[in-house]
Amino acid sequence: MNYEDQLEEGLSLLEEGDFDHALDIAHQLQKKEPEYSDGFHLEGLVFQKLNQWEKSIEALEKAINLEDENSGYYNLRGFANMQLENLDQAIEDFDKAIDLDDSPAAHRNKVLYMIMNGEASKANEYLLNRIKQNPKDVENWILMGDLLQRAGQEEKAMGFYQQAQKMDPDNEYIKEQLGNG
C-alpha cells in the first residue's frame, strides 16, 4: 500500500474510532517517510481523541518541526494546551494559526480560550467583529448563539441560531438549538 493510501486508511480508522489501528498506521507512516509530517499529525489526532493531551502535544511538535507553516498543527496543539490549562501556550498557538492563514478553527478556539479565561465580554466583542468581517461563516453565528445562551440571553441567542440556519439549513446542531432537531 502506498503512503497516501495508508494515510487515508489511518484517517478513516480514526473517524471510525479504531484508535489502536490508526496509531499503528501513524507509526508506520513515520517509519516509511520520517521527513513527512502526516504520520505525526495522525498520531496527534489519535491522542486528542483519547484525551492524552501531553502525547498529542509531543506528536504535533514533531509535525510542526517538519512543517512549520501548517496552521492546523498549531491549532491542534493549542487545543491540547488549552485542555491542560496551559493558556499562554494555547493562545500563542491559536494566534500563530491565525497569522498563517486566518484559520477559522483557530478563531473558534480563541473564543473558547477567552471564555475559559473568564473573558466572556471580550469573546463576545471578538465574535461580533468576526461576524462583521465574514458574515457568511456560519460557525461564528453558532458560537455567538452559544455564548449568548450560556449568558442567559435566550432570545438573542435564538436570533443568531436562526441566522445560522438560513445559511446552513441542514445543520443538526442548529436544528437542535432551535428545537427543530
Side-chain angles (χ1 to χ4, degrees), residues 7-27:
L7 177 59
E8 252 336 285
E9 181 183 359
L11 292 169
S12 292
L13 290 167
L14 176 69
E15 186 73 26
E16 295 167 9
D18 190 348
F19 304 131
D20 288 338
H21 286 114
L23 190 59
D24 288 342
I25 288 177
H27 292 146

Side-chain angles (χ1 to χ4, degrees), residues 1 10 98 125-126 150 152:
M1 182 180 302
I98 290 166
E125 184 179 323
Y126 187 84
R150 285 191 197 106

Side-chain angles (χ1 to χ4, degrees), residues 2-43:
N2 72 27
Y3 185 86
E4 289 78 21
D5 290 341
Q6 200 170 10
L7 177 59
E8 252 336 285
E9 181 183 359
L11 292 169
S12 292
L13 290 167
L14 176 69
E15 186 73 26
E16 295 167 9
D18 190 348
F19 304 131
D20 288 338
H21 286 114
L23 190 59
D24 288 342
I25 288 177
H27 292 146
Q28 290 170 22
L29 292 170
Q30 292 166 15
K31 286 180 185 152
K32 188 180 278 189
E33 297 289 351
E35 70 279 3
Y36 290 4
S37 61
D38 302 310
F40 298 104
H41 175 229
L42 179 58
E43 180 181 6

Side-chain angles (χ1 to χ4, degrees), residues 80-126:
N81 272 310
M82 191 166 59
Q83 298 307 309
L84 294 171
E85 297 186 16
N86 300 331
L87 298 181
D88 290 340
Q89 290 100 333
I91 197 65
E92 282 180 32
D93 281 338
F94 299 145
D95 285 341
K96 177 70 175 180
I98 290 166
D99 288 344
L100 284 171
D101 68 6
D102 201 29
S103 166
H107 281 291
R108 286 189 288 280
N109 281 333
K110 190 170 181 173
V111 169
L112 293 174
Y113 159 85
M114 290 176 202
I115 293 168
M116 284 181 70
N117 214 27
E119 301 171 332
S121 62
K122 187 176 175 182
N124 185 18
E125 184 179 323
Y126 187 84

